[in-house]
Amino acid sequence: MGVGAPIGLLGGSFDPIHNGHLQLGRDALKQLPLQEVRFIPAAQPWQKARITAAEYRARMVQLAIAGEPRFALDMHEIERGGVSYTIDTLHALRSALPDHPLVLIMGTDQFARLDTWRDWREVVDLAHIAVARRGAAALAPSANVHCLLDARRSKPSALTSSRGGSIVEFAMTPVDVSATEVRRLLSESESAEKAQRLSAMVPAVVLDYIDSHRLYRT
Ligand code: ATP
């Protein structure tokens, strides 16, 4: 079977989407041979108990990526509903895109804990993994993940030669933001400093949406 163009997959809660997620996607597109990057909001992430309703999170992703032709919103996990496991999403995408290498894009924080994911060894067989190095931040993976990295570390060109199984690293411009910090700031009382900090962390169109739907007030 021939191999199609690799497709990047960026999963997360996106509660809300922020400039760190967008930079991760842009740097992956710039440095890896990807056709596109799909943003996949989780329905119910298995690591998190409380989360904003899926339709708000998906809409914020849609607004944030609207001007970027090689970014797409992927609704697989939200449409499936329930607790989202990457392994189920990969099976669904593999059936829909049988020839394309699938490339899971993630930050070092997620990669270091990969062995806590459901069926993690199968995840790494079904897809490639692209890990973003943020500045000088070192990878501190668990022993399992360390072994995996030793065995599978490859050059970006490996992404085009098979449909999964390699691990590649790429450098990303660090953006110091987390959704936790965005939610914390949004719950604070109004101030010029808060507005200024938020505008450096989240696209204006997303902040307008958050404001008009009164999200993250408490
Ligand atoms: P939270 O603070 O609620 O845990 P988060 O900001 O880490 O959320 P997620 O939606 O959980 O966002 O993350 C999705 C993906 O984006 C993960 O792979 C994570 O490593 C990556 N990511 C999150 N923030 C950044 C950032 N500032 N720079 C690069 N990657 C990021």
Side-chain angles (χ1 to χ4, degrees), residues 29-51:
L29 273 181
K30 214 182 291 168
Q31 295 184 50
L32 303 173
L34 302 176
Q35 173 181 297
E36 63 183 36
V37 171
R38 296 189 181 192
F39 288 72
I40 314 179
Q44 173 62 57
W46 58 273
Q47 308 97 322
K48 289 176 187 170
R50 282 178 60 84
I51 186 154

Side-chain angles (χ1 to χ4, degrees), residues 73-178:
L73 168 65
D74 185 305
M75 293 291 282
H76 265 92
E77 295 192 351
I78 288 179
E79 280 164 8
R80 191 166 68 239
V83 178
S84 302
Y85 292 103
T86 301
I87 188 67
D88 300 331
T89 309
L90 288 179
H91 281 299
L93 286 168
R94 178 48 72 225
S95 307
L97 301 161
D99 302 336
H100 290 264
L102 301 175
V103 183
L104 284 172
I105 300 163
M106 62 186 75
T108 44
D109 54 327
Q110 288 230 350
F111 179 69
R113 302 189 299 264
L114 191 69
D115 57 341
T116 63
W117 292 22
R118 175 176 278 192
D119 297 333
W120 66 279
R121 290 184 192 277
E122 198 191 342
V123 164
V124 186
D125 286 334
L126 276 174
H128 299 295
I129 306 227
V131 188
R133 270 179 281 110
R134 302 190 211 168
L139 266 182
S142 68
N144 276 331
V145 175
H146 208 287
C147 283
L148 183 79
L149 185 59
D150 278 348
R152 307 230 184 176
R153 183 183 259 147
S154 308
K155 295 207 169 79
S157 58
L159 303 182
T160 55
S161 55
S162 68
R163 298 183 310 157
S166 298
I167 300 176
V168 304
E169 292 173 83
F170 66 100
M172 91 166 265
T173 308
V175 181
D176 186 16
V177 51
S178 70

